[in-house]
């Protein structure tokens, strides 16, 4: 196995974070979860991932901030980024996509559909760049 | 004067024969009128001509009228020798007629005509066709145009009278009241004066002419008598001598006869010479003595048998007066020979006695007895040779045969008549009369200048014209004066009607205005005052109203601001509620799904519970999003975006979402796209997707068997392009009385199925609102038991600036 795909997931809601990490684990990827955009950026400074999934509304560095940070950073600007947000208005979706997200899913999402989307993005990311991270990276959350 | 309407009113006979007949009739009338018209000066025939032309123009049209007047003019000119009067009318008529037709200014047309056409034409007519001396430049350039102008003016006035501009059909051209009144005054005032003046002058003319004729005739008789007496005396003297020679014994005695002739002739006698002959025509005696002795004179034995003064008495036995001849011998004077036969007692003619009367004697008499001034007289012998004259250019002995004067003499006309002579200064008319001298058969012609004889008539006509012009002027002045007060008042009224400013009319009361005017002014003034007070009231009311409106506007502005801030608060609240509801739901749905799909073994009851949980959370999510969407639509917080997209892609997306559920229910989802693959559209793709998902999802939800079909095409048949979509199903259908009800929020036909299918009943309501917001329309047709058809269209948003594709 050339390496397990890695996903960084940022969401401030602990319940969502918990269930979503469980769901993402079903893809077989290694999932790192953080509670804010700032935390995500700190994580990324240490380690790259194959896919970033982020909530929009977070204290201390929200989704938009994180998208901007990723798109302006030298190492991660090519990393695929999917937004999951409870902001369902079309203007929010448009704003997120315009800021640089590769996809925008509305909470609550249909779990199967979510998984399919994530797997698709992972496949594209790996096909493009190879595995971004080594296995055995430190997980900030213990599951 | 409306020229166009006048021209249009001309009714010309259509058939050619009628036109020819009418034209000939008019020509005959015109010739007759001209022949008998007393043409004194151009002005007279001018009036007739213009009136006549006008009638002709109305009856037979311009071209035929021109023909009539041209013929008439020629005859008129030849008869009266007035080079201009007729031609003026003829070509005036033509030109004015044309000017009318072309709606040009007739006065200007007239002047142009005389400069360009009239003068050369006159020259040609009277110099080439009817040769007389060329008209003077002054006459051509000054007199004719003035005559023409008078003609046009008269025609103008006549038309103003006969064809007033205020006809019933159509609006009259605007003219000021002053002009209107002026025309009426001048036209009405001038014409009776003109007609009366013409009649009076005509009567006067007849009388003056009769007097002039009497005068001429008596003068001629008197002069003829004087001349006759002179010849008669000469003849008597000759006859007396002849009668004394009846004894032929004495007649042969030449010396005695010489003495007798000398004594008869005498130093102051009428005869220049006398002679006596024998029966063979030899001179036997002569007087004076000088004639007897001079060579070539009347010496004894000279033969005169070939002379008429010998032959006539010898053959007829009657005395004889010869015509004029130039005498032989000394003096070579112009002479008249008077002779008588010498008859014996037995009746034998044995010779003649002759006396030569010098013509200078008659010349002197004519000169003395012809009246002064423009009179002239002419004595001609039986051979039409001039004997003596006064005022004529002809010298004695001139033969007048085959001249105008000769023809006049041949007529032996003894009643005064008009005679036109070609003189060096042009054609001159005379009043002429002949008288015959009884002894000789000679003719005495006495003439007087026509113009001189009718001088008083000329003055009368001039007076008539002057009075007419004065009347016109007076009428103008009077009309202007009489309407002065009215005009002032009217102008005030006009100003009043413009401004409606009251109390300005009060000044008019003082004027010496008619009763009706005064009442009108007072009423208007009252009206103005009333208007003024009403205006004040109105203004007060308006001011009040305005302040009220201002207050209301201010209140409304406040209300709008309040409502806007409330709206903003509502939107923010909705967004927050949405976010806060969605976030926990995410965990519930995901957790349930994880539990359900987990590998751990579960009891049937656990599985059922998980399914219920899953379904309920799904319903809850739908309810939340529908309620939020609806609230947002109601609050007006939804904006419509614009971008370029492919409708087919949207449909495919929607179908891909619905297909799994539909397939599970045994339904087929079809796509029927009628436009070319890759066709793009401009609009709000997210809203379109939402509408389509709502409608198709609704159909899938309620259809138990059959299919759901989405049809789309771009309709460009109308004035603008439309994207049309139809969602058709084979579901239970909707009763007709519920067709509108289903679009109301929270309405579902089968409430039992709400829970089983999930849904709030808000989908259709939201869809319709969205379609309307995008500028389109959503309709529903349905038959119970067969299915429902939702159809909607969206307008093309290309015209507006397109937002970048999201």
């Amino acid at each position: 196995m050339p390496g397990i795909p890695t996903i960084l997931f940022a969401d401030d809601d602990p319940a969502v974070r918990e269930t979503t990490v469980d769901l993402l684990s079903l893809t077989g990827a290694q999932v790192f979860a953080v509670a804010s955009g700032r935390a995500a950026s700190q994580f990324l400074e240490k380690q790259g991932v194959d896919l970033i999934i982020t909530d929009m509304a977070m204290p201390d560095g929200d989704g938009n901030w994180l998208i901007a940070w990723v798109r302006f950073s030298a190492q991660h600007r090519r990393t695929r980024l999917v937004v999951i947000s409870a902001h369902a208005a079309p203007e929010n979706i448009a704003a997120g996509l315009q800021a640089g997200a590769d996809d925008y899913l509305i909470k609550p999402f249909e779990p199967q559909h979510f998984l399919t989307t994530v797997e698709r993005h992972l496949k594209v990311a790996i096909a493009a760049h190879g595995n971004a991270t080594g296995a055995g990276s430190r997980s900030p959350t213990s599951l | 004067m409306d020229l166009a309407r006048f021209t249009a009113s001309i009714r010309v006979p259509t058939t050619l024969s009628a036109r020819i007949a009418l034209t000939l009739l008019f020509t005959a009338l015109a010739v007759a009128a001209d022949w008998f018209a007393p043409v004194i000066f151009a002005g007279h025939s001018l009036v007739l001509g213009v009136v006549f032309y006008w009638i002709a123009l109305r009856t037979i049209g311009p071209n035929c009228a021109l023909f009539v007047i041209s013929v008439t003019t020629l005859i008129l000119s030849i008869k009266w020798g007035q080079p201009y009067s007729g031609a003026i009318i003829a070509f005036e008529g033509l030109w004015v007629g044309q000017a009318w037709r072309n709606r040009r200014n007739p006065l200007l047309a007239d002047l142009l005509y005389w400069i360009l056409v009239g003068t050369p034409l006159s020259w040609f007519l009277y110099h080439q066709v009817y040769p007389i001396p060329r008209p003077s430049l002054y006459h051509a350039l000054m007199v004719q145009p003035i005559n023409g102008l008078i003609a046009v003016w008269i025609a103008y006035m006549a038309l103003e009278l006969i064809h007033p501009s205020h006809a019933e059909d159509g609006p009259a051209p605007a003219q000021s009241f002053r002009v209107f009144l002026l025309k009426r005054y001048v036209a009405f005032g001038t014409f009776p004066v003109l007609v009366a003046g013409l009649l009076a002058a005509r009567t006067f003319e007849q009388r003056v002419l009769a007097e002039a004729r009497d005068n001429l005739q008596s003068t001629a008789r008197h002069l003829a008598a004087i001349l006759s007496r002179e010849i008669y005396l000469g003849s008597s003297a000759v006859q007396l001598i002849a009668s004394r020679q009846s004894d032929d014994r004495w007649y042969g005695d030449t010396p005695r006869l010489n003495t007798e002739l000398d004594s008869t002739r005498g130093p102051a006698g009428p005869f220049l010479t006398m002679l006596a002959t024998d029966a063979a025509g030899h001179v036997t005696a002569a007087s004076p003595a000088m004639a007897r002795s001079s060579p070539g004179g009347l010496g004894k034995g000279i033969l005169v048998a070939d002379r008429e003064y010998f032959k006539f008495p010898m053959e007829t036995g009657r005395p004889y007066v010869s015509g004029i001849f130039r005498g032989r011998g000394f003096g070579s004077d112009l002479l008249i020979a008077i002779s008588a036969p010498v008859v014996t007692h037995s009746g034998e003619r044995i010779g003649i006695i002759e006396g030569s009367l010098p013509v200078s004697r008659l010349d002197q008499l004519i000169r003395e007895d012809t009246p002064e001034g423009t009179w002239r007289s002419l004595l001609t012998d039986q051979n039409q040779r001039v004997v003596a004259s006064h005022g004529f250019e002809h010298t004695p002995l001139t033969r007048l045969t085959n001249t105008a004067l000769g023809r006049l003499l041949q007529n032996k006309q003894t009643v005064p008549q008009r005679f036109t002579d070609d003189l060096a200064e042009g054609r001159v008319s005379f009043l002429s009369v002949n008288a015959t001298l009884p002894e000789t058969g000679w003719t005495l012609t006495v003439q007087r200048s026509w113009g001189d004889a009718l001088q008083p008539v000329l003055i009368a006509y001039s007076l008539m014209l002057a009075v007419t012009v004065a009347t016109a002027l007076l009428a103008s002045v009077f009309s202007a004066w009489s309407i002065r007060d009215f005009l002032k008042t009217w102008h005030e009224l006009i100003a009043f009607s413009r401004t409606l400013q009251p109390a300005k009319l009060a000044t008019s009361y003082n004027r010496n205005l008619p009763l009706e005017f005064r009442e009108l002014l007072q009423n208007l003034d009252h009206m103005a005052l009333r208007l003024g007070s009403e205006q004040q009231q109105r203004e007060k009311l308006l001011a009040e109203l305005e302040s009220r409106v201002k207050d209301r506007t201010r209140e409304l502005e406040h209300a709008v601001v309040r409502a806007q801030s409330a709206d903003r608060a509502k939107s923010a609240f909705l967004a927050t509620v949405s976010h806060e509801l969605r976030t926990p739901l995410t965990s519930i749905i995901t957790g349930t799904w994880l539990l359900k799909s987990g590998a751990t073994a579960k009891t049937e009851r656990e599985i059922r519970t998980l399914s219920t949980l899953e379904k309920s959370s799904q319903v809850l999510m739908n309810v939340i999003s529908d309620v939020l969407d609806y609230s947002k639509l109601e609050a007006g917080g939804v904006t419509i975006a614009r971008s370029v997209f492919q409708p087919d892609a949207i449909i495919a997306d929607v179908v891909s979402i619905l297909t799994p559920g539909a397939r599970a229910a045994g339904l087929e989802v079809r796509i029927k796209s009628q436009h070319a693959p890759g066709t793009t559209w401009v609009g709000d793709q997210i809203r379109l997707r939402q509408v389509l998902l709502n409608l198709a999802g609704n159909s899938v939800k309620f259809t138990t068997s059959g299919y759901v079909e989405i049809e789309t095409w771009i309709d460009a048949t109308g004035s603008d392009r439309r994207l049309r979509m139809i969602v058709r199903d084979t579901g239970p259908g909707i009763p007709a009385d519920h067709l509108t009800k289903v679009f109301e929020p929270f309405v579902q036909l089968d409430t039992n199925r709400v829970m089983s299918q999930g849904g709030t009943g808000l989908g259709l309501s939201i869809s319709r609102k969205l379609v309307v917001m995008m500028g389109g329309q959503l309709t529903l047709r349905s038959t119970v038991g067969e299915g429902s058809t939702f159809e909607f269209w969206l307008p093309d948003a290309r015209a507006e600036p397109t937002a970048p594709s999201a």
Side-chain angles (χ1 to χ4, degrees):
Chain A
M1 208 171 163
I4 304 164
T6 52
I7 299 172
L8 175 63
F9 176 61
D11 199 317
D12 59 325
D13 188 283
V16 172
R17 202 161 60 229
E18 205 169 297
T19 48
T20 308
V21 167
D22 285 349
L23 190 62
L24 285 171
S25 302
L26 295 180
T27 61
Q30 190 177 4
V31 183
F32 309 100
V34 291
S36 72
R38 180 91 54 203
S41 67
Q42 283 161 4
F43 176 87
L44 286 171
E45 273 172 8
K46 284 176 262 168
Q47 182 188 351
V49 290
D50 293 310
L51 179 65
I52 302 166
I53 298 171
T54 177
D55 184 23
M56 271 313 212
M58 290 180 290
D60 194 18
D62 64 4
N64 278 320
W65 182 89
L66 181 61
I67 294 167
W69 188 90
V70 168
R71 291 298 174 231
F72 279 102
S73 83
Q75 302 111 293
H76 309 294
R77 59 193 172 89
R78 290 180 192 283
T79 309
R80 293 193 80 79
L81 196 152
V82 173
V83 172
I84 53 165
S85 173
H87 289 300
E91 54 267 28
N92 297 130
I93 299 169
L97 293 172
Q98 231 165 350
D102 292 301
D103 215 336
Y104 193 112
L105 298 174
I106 299 164
K107 287 181 189 168
F109 40 77
E110 210 266 304
Q112 188 59 58
H113 182 243
F114 177 69
L115 283 180
T116 316
T117 306
V118 168
E119 276 166 0
R120 197 175 76 233
H121 282 291
L122 274 179
K123 213 179 282 173
V124 172
I126 289 161
H129 313 297
N131 209 328
T133 51
S137 293
R138 187 181 58 89
S139 168
T141 11
S142 60
L143 292 173
Chain B
M1 176 164 57
D2 191 336
L3 298 179
R5 197 181 303 138
F6 169 75
T7 310
S9 73
I10 296 176
R11 295 276 176 272
V12 179
T14 43
T15 61
L16 187 67
S17 54
R19 287 184 72 175
I20 290 173
L22 274 172
T23 306
L24 288 178
L25 178 69
F26 265 93
T27 311
L29 275 174
V31 169
D34 274 343
W35 201 262
F36 298 111
V39 178
I40 304 300
F41 67 109
H44 194 150
S45 54
L46 211 63
V47 178
L48 287 177
V50 169
V51 172
F52 185 80
Y53 177 76
W54 186 81
I55 297 168
L57 185 72
R58 284 297 298 255
T59 318
I60 50 178
N63 293 331
C64 291
L66 174 68
F67 171 79
V68 169
I69 290 181
S70 299
V71 169
T72 313
T73 301
L74 209 63
I75 290 164
L76 187 89
S77 314
I78 291 166
K79 178 169 190 261
W80 297 112
Q82 295 250 353
Y84 307 116
S85 58
I88 286 169
I89 303 155
F91 299 107
E92 199 66 52
L94 165 70
W95 195 257
V96 172
Q98 287 304 314
W100 276 339
R101 299 213 119 190
N102 299 335
R103 306 188 68 177
R104 281 196 211 99
N105 184 350
L107 296 175
L108 190 69
D110 182 66
L111 272 177
L112 274 175
Y113 160 70
W114 280 113
I115 291 165
L116 297 174
V117 182
T119 304
L121 206 69
S122 301
W123 179 85
F124 176 77
L125 208 72
Y126 297 108
H127 196 70
Q128 300 295 319
V129 178
Y130 192 76
I132 57 146
R134 180 198 299 244
S136 72
L137 201 65
Y138 168 79
H139 208 106
L141 293 180
M142 289 301 295
V143 177
Q144 292 184 54
I146 290 170
N147 280 345
L149 283 176
I150 294 172
V152 176
W153 177 74
I154 292 170
Y156 221 86
M157 287 299 129
L159 271 174
E160 185 63 29
L161 264 181
I162 297 163
H163 194 84
S165 41
H166 291 267
E168 292 97 16
D169 48 337
Q175 58 181 358
S176 78
F177 183 61
R178 192 190 293 276
V179 173
F180 168 80
L181 210 62
L182 195 75
K183 280 182 181 171
R184 292 290 182 285
Y185 265 100
V186 171
F188 282 109
T190 310
F191 257 82
V193 173
L194 192 67
V195 171
L198 274 176
L199 285 174
R202 178 87 176 89
T203 313
F204 183 65
E205 181 191 340
Q206 301 284 7
R207 232 176 61 201
V208 168
L209 196 60
E211 266 176 29
R213 279 177 175 152
D214 287 350
N215 194 0
L216 186 71
Q217 209 155 23
S218 62
T219 306
R221 278 190 199 126
H222 173 70
L223 198 56
I226 288 173
L227 292 172
S228 238
R229 196 182 60 196
E230 193 66 16
I231 293 164
Y232 172 75
L233 283 176
S235 187
S236 304
V238 173
Q239 283 179 52
L240 187 68
I241 296 170
S243 68
R244 283 209 294 254
Q245 312 305 324
S246 54
D247 190 346
D248 57 348
R249 287 169 301 164
W250 289 94
Y251 188 61
D253 186 354
T254 302
R256 190 198 59 83
L257 202 53
N258 277 342
T259 312
E260 193 163 354
L261 290 178
D262 282 345
S263 69
T264 305
R265 204 181 59 84
F271 294 117
L272 188 69
T273 59
M274 292 190 79
L275 61 80
T277 67
D278 58 16
H282 296 285
V283 173
T284 53
S287 176
M290 200 164 48
R292 294 196 287 270
S293 56
S294 67
L298 301 168
K300 192 173 175 181
I302 287 173
L303 192 65
V304 293
D306 60 330
R307 299 301 177 91
E308 197 63 30
Y309 62 76
F310 173 77
K311 284 197 281 187
F312 186 87
M314 284 301 284
E315 282 166 16
T316 61
R318 285 191 281 128
Y320 172 74
V321 180
S322 79
I324 185 172
F325 65 93
R326 191 170 292 282
R328 292 181 296 195
F330 63 92
S332 303
D333 284 325
L334 290 172
L335 299 171
I336 295 160
I338 300 172
S339 59
V342 179
V343 184
T344 61
H345 296 297
S346 55
E348 188 191 353
R349 295 168 201 146
I350 54 169
I352 59 142
I353 303 295
E354 187 265 356
S356 293
L357 199 68
V359 167
S360 56
R361 173 71 185 151
L362 295 175
D363 218 39
Q364 189 191 347
L365 286 173
I366 277 192
R367 221 177 291 280
E368 282 168 3
D369 286 298
T370 303
E372 293 296 315
T374 59
W375 292 73
R376 61 180 194 171
S377 33
L378 177 76
L379 183 65
T380 47
D381 66 12
Q382 59 268 52
N383 300 321
Q384 294 202 344
R385 277 185 307 204
V386 175
V387 176
S389 69
H390 174 65
F392 283 87
E393 289 159 6
H394 308 291
T395 50
L397 265 182
T398 309
R399 191 178 274 274
L400 294 176
T401 321
N402 294 329
T403 64
L405 212 52
R407 282 191 291 276
L408 179 77
L409 293 174
Q410 248 171 358
N411 287 344
K412 306 264 179 207
Q413 178 77 38
T414 51
V415 178
Q417 61 165 324
R418 192 177 166 128
F419 167 73
T420 305
D421 201 359
D422 295 345
L423 299 180
E425 61 265 30
R427 289 165 62 82
V428 180
S429 285
F430 291 93
L431 192 61
S432 172
V433 74
N434 293 334
T436 308
L437 272 59
E439 276 79 14
T440 56
W442 294 359
T443 308
L444 174 71
T445 305
V446 180
Q447 295 186 334
R448 188 184 172 190
S449 156
W450 182 266
D452 179 46
L454 276 83
Q455 182 79 23
V457 180
L458 193 67
I459 293 168
Y461 274 104
S462 305
L463 260 175
M464 182 268 300
L465 201 68
V467 167
T468 308
V469 170
T471 309
L473 283 175
L474 268 175
S476 314
V477 171
F478 176 70
S479 69
W481 176 80
S482 65
I483 63 167
R484 192 190 46 182
D485 283 355
F486 294 88
L487 273 184
K488 262 187 196 166
T489 313
W490 276 358
H491 284 149
E492 275 181 24
L493 284 176
I494 291 166
F496 167 76
S497 68
R498 258 192 224 118
T499 60
L500 283 180
Q501 284 298 309
K504 285 206 173 168
L505 294 169
T507 53
S508 308
Y509 290 126
N510 302 335
R511 298 249 176 72
N512 190 17
L513 285 173
L515 197 64
E516 293 87 347
F517 254 71
R518 199 179 284 206
E519 196 178 332
L520 175 69
L521 286 171
Q522 282 172 348
N523 292 348
L524 278 173
D525 214 22
H526 286 151
M527 194 178 87
L529 281 170
R530 211 165 54 233
L531 271 175
S533 67
E534 277 171 11
Q535 177 77 20
Q536 278 177 355
Q537 280 182 352
R538 224 175 8 253
E539 273 167 15
K540 211 171 117 192
L541 281 172
L542 270 175
E544 237 172 74
L545 199 64
E546 211 169 316
S547 76
R548 263 193 231 171
V549 167
K550 264 184 194 160
D551 289 349
R552 290 282 156 81
T553 310
R554 222 177 3 254
E555 282 168 26
L556 273 172
E557 276 167 2
H558 286 312
V560 166
V561 168
R562 275 201 303 274
Q564 278 172 347
S565 58
D567 255 7
R568 272 199 297 275
K570 201 168 163 188
S571 289
F573 172 73
L574 280 171
T576 311
V577 165
S578 163
H579 188 261
E580 296 311 316
L581 284 172
R582 279 168 188 275
T583 304
L585 204 55
T586 311
S587 316
I588 295 168
I589 289 171
T590 310
T592 311
W593 189 85
L594 281 170
L595 278 179
K596 200 186 162 200
S597 57
T600 42
K602 288 174 275 281
T603 63
E604 200 156 314
R605 185 190 165 89
E606 280 170 338
I607 291 169
R608 210 171 50 240
T609 310
L610 283 172
S611 288
T612 309
L613 197 59
E614 191 179 24
K615 243 178 216 167
S616 297
S617 56
Q618 196 66 45
V619 169
L620 182 59
M621 193 187 82
N622 286 347
V623 168
I624 288 166
S625 45
D626 277 0
V627 166
L628 289 173
D629 270 351
Y630 188 76
S631 308
K632 218 165 182 188
L633 279 171
E634 284 285 277
V638 172
T639 51
I640 299 300
R642 248 196 325 274
S643 60
V644 183
F645 62 90
Q646 294 188 3
D648 288 351
I650 304 277
I651 293 168
D653 194 17
V654 167
V655 169
S656 76
I657 292 168
L658 292 174
T659 301
R663 201 168 285 155
L667 292 173
E668 188 191 351
V669 181
R670 299 183 193 162
I671 299 174
K672 196 171 164 190
S673 174
Q674 293 190 8
H675 45 244
T679 300
T680 57
W681 190 255
V682 177
D684 191 331
Q685 51 178 327
I686 292 165
R687 300 298 176 197
L688 173 61
R689 188 175 175 279
Q690 195 178 347
V691 169
L692 211 51
L693 197 57
N694 269 336
L695 295 179
N698 204 58
S699 288
V700 168
K701 215 185 315 182
F702 290 105
T703 305
T704 46
S705 67
Y707 62 89
V708 173
E709 184 181 69
I710 300 175
E711 183 181 351
T712 180
W713 74 99
I714 286 169
D715 179 8
T717 50
S719 57
D720 35 41
R721 294 169 75 235
R722 288 171 171 184
L723 177 66
R724 286 185 178 275
M725 290 202 175
I726 290 178
V727 177
R728 211 177 269 125
D729 65 48
T730 52
I734 299 160
D737 54 333
H738 284 78
L739 281 178
T740 49
K741 226 176 163 188
V742 295
F743 289 106
E744 287 168 22
F746 306 110
V747 168
Q748 272 188 336
L749 298 185
D750 188 354
T751 41
N752 292 337
R753 291 178 68 175
V754 174
M755 287 314 286
S756 63
Q757 297 296 333
T760 52
L762 281 169
L764 290 181
S765 181
I766 288 167
S767 295
R768 173 170 267 192
K769 273 185 189 292
L770 282 174
V771 168
V772 170
M773 273 183 73
M774 287 187 277
Q777 247 179 340
L778 172 65
T779 52
L780 166 61
R781 293 189 303 276
S782 184
T783 315
V784 173
E786 285 181 17
S788 307
T789 304
F790 292 91
E791 183 174 354
F792 67 93
W793 60 265
L794 298 175
D796 190 0
R798 269 187 317 181
E800 298 159 62
T802 311
S805 178

